[in-house]
């Protein structure tokens, strides 16, 4: 992968920290405190702008001032915590008020933690890091839950059909079974990955192809080649347990058909090419997804 591409990927992986305060100097101070950390810092200068930025940027944590005109921090926090799409974003409330009553109001609004102004640099960094860790663990749990659901649904299809493929049935019968299985798997993927909700590109198609094989017990990865026009999907462990694939190379055909269907969602002119398959006694599986 080229340095520019690696930089873009690293940028996408940075936790997003939204700083909200109506005083510009306060925002700049906290931004400076966090500048040495591997975060993408987003700024908002009021409650209304904060809610807009949350919708646009999907931050991983919100550093939220309490005393703001129009929409105060309590109202912003309450809105975020009552919305199912944003309720798990940690909110660190920043306040010059240290009264117990004010903390209770923050807790009632759903705040995850508090810092009293003036903000201490080390304390800010420690609290942010801790809350981001909690957010990361939550996101992992959600991802594991979703991936388990995909794995269970796809594997239930394969468990029902693969024994038939391994029997001595005619090639024509196998083709019919493959088409039916591919259709069922594709329907499951459409429901689980929601392809219609995002713009398809080679990178996403390649990552989904690899993820599907990994869900089925393989070890696949995807990356762009040096030309920048081809995505390479490579597997070093066969989801069909190698020997079964060698006895029935038609299982590799199933892999190819699933990959092909995903590739066509990028563009009807995109092409999928199978260079190697473990089922054909190669040392690995290697598929190329070429741009139209």
């Amino acid at each position: 992968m080229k340095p520019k591409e690696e930089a873009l990927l690293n940028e996408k992986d940075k936790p997003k920290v939204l700083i909200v305060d109506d005083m510009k100097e306060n925002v700049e101070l906290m931004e400076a405190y966090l500048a040495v950390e591997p975060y993408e810092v987003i700024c908002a200068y009021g409650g209304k702008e904060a809610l807009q930025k949350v919708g646009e940027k999907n931050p991983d944590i919100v550093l939220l001032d309490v005393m703001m005109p129009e929409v105060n921090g309590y109202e912003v926090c309450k809105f975020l915590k009552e919305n199912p799409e944003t309720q798990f974003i940690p909110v660190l409330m920043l306040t010059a008020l240290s009264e117990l009553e004010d903390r209770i109001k923050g807790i009632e609004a759903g705040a995850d933690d508090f810092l009293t102004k003036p903000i201490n640099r080390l304390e800010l960094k420690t609290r942010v890091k801790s809350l981001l860790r909690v957010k990361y663990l939550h996101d992992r749990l959600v991802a594991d839950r979703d991936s388990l659901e995909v794995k269970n649904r796809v594997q239930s299809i394969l468990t029902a059909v693969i024994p038939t493929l391994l029997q001595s049935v005619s090639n024509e019968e196998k083709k019919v079974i493959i088409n039916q299985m591919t259709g069922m798997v594709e329907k499951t993927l459409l429901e689980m990955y929601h392809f219609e909700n995002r713009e398809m590109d080679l990178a996403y198609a390649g990552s989904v192809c690899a993820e599907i094989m990994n869900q089925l017990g393989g070890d696949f990865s995807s990356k762009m080649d040096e030309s920048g026009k081809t995505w390479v999907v490579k597997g070093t462990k066969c989801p069909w347990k190698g020997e079964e694939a060698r006895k029935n190379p038609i299982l590799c055909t199933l892999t190819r058909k699933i990959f092909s269907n995903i590739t066509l969602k990028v563009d009807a002119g995109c092409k999928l090419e199978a260079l190697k398959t473990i089922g054909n006694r190669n040392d690995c599986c290697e598929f190329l997804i070429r741009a139209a």
Side-chain angles (χ1 to χ4, degrees):
M1 189 174 288
K2 296 176 182 177
K4 185 177 180 181
E5 291 161 2
E6 288 181 348
L8 287 172
L9 284 176
N10 291 336
E11 191 68 30
K12 289 180 181 178
D13 291 339
K14 286 183 177 180
K16 297 177 183 177
V17 179
L18 174 61
I19 300 173
V20 185
D21 197 309
D22 60 314
M23 302 292 290
K24 186 177 180 182
E25 57 269 28
N26 290 340
V27 173
E28 290 176 347
L29 178 64
M30 285 185 288
E31 191 175 12
Y33 282 173
L34 298 174
V36 296
E37 301 296 325
Y39 305 145
E40 177 186 343
V41 176
I42 305 158
C43 303
Y45 299 95
K48 287 184 178 179
E49 187 181 358
L51 294 174
Q52 180 185 342
K53 289 288 177 69
V54 168
E56 292 173 353
K57 302 293 187 177
N58 189 28
D60 294 292
I61 186 172
V62 178
L63 312 187
L64 183 60
D65 182 43
V66 171
M67 304 302 291
M68 295 185 293
E70 294 186 347
V71 181
N72 65 41
Y74 299 128
E75 293 169 318
V76 172
C77 185
K78 189 171 187 293
F79 181 88
L80 294 178
K81 294 302 181 178
E82 289 180 349
N83 185 340
E85 294 185 3
T86 58
Q87 64 178 326
F88 294 110
I89 299 175
V91 174
L92 177 58
M93 298 206 83
L94 311 170
T95 175
L97 308 172
S98 57
E99 296 293 332
L100 178 60
E101 183 181 343
D102 297 306
R103 288 214 166 211
I104 290 173
K105 285 178 67 176
I107 291 169
E108 289 175 343
D112 297 278
D113 204 350
F114 300 85
L115 273 181
T116 303
K117 295 180 180 178
I119 302 298
N120 176 275
R121 184 202 306 248
L122 181 58
E123 191 175 10
L124 174 67
K125 290 165 64 174
T126 302
R127 298 286 182 89
V128 168
K129 190 170 293 186
S130 175
L131 288 172
L132 283 173
R133 174 67 178 165
V134 173
K135 176 65 162 51
Y136 169 77
L137 292 173
H138 170 265
D139 290 348
R140 281 292 303 273
L141 284 172
V142 171
D144 289 346
R145 180 201 66 198
D146 291 344
S147 82
L148 182 62
E149 190 174 353
V150 173
K151 181 177 181 178
N152 287 344
R153 292 181 65 180
V154 172
Q155 283 194 336
S156 67
I157 296 169
L158 301 177
T159 300
V161 181
I162 282 181
T164 306
L165 283 173
L166 298 179
Q167 294 173 1
S168 298
V169 298
S170 69
N171 284 336
E172 285 305 312
E173 288 175 302
K174 285 184 178 181
K175 286 179 183 177
V176 171
I177 294 169
I178 288 287
N179 285 333
Q180 290 175 339
M181 186 192 292
T182 305
M184 288 187 287
V185 171
E186 183 180 14
K187 183 176 184 295
T188 295
L189 295 174
L190 285 172
E191 292 172 354
M192 300 306 299
Y193 284 95
H194 301 291
F195 291 122
E196 74 280 2
N197 292 339
R198 63 161 290 152
E199 184 177 344
M200 289 290 289
D201 55 22
L202 293 183
Y204 186 57
S207 67
V208 170
C209 288
E211 184 177 332
I212 290 167
M213 292 298 106
N214 293 340
Q215 297 290 352
L216 300 176
D219 187 358
F220 277 64
S221 60
S222 67
K223 66 176 183 178
M224 185 182 290
D225 74 352
E226 293 182 357
S227 72
K229 297 180 179 178
T230 302
W231 211 262
V232 182
V233 181
K234 186 174 181 179
T236 56
K237 179 183 176 184
C238 178
W240 314 122
K241 298 180 181 177
E243 282 307 311
E244 289 180 3
R246 290 189 179 100
K247 292 175 186 175
N248 290 272
I250 200 162
L251 291 172
C252 297
T253 303
L254 171 61
T255 300
R256 191 157 48 241
K257 284 182 71 69
I258 293 172
F259 283 9
S260 180
N261 286 344
I262 293 169
T263 298
L264 290 175
K265 296 186 185 305
V266 180
D267 190 284
C270 287
K271 294 181 180 179
L272 177 78
E273 181 182 353
L275 295 185
K276 302 176 182 178
T277 63
I278 293 173
N280 286 327
R281 302 193 178 279
N282 297 126
D283 60 344
C284 65
C285 293
E286 191 169 330
F287 296 84
L288 302 183
I289 302 175
R290 298 187 187 280

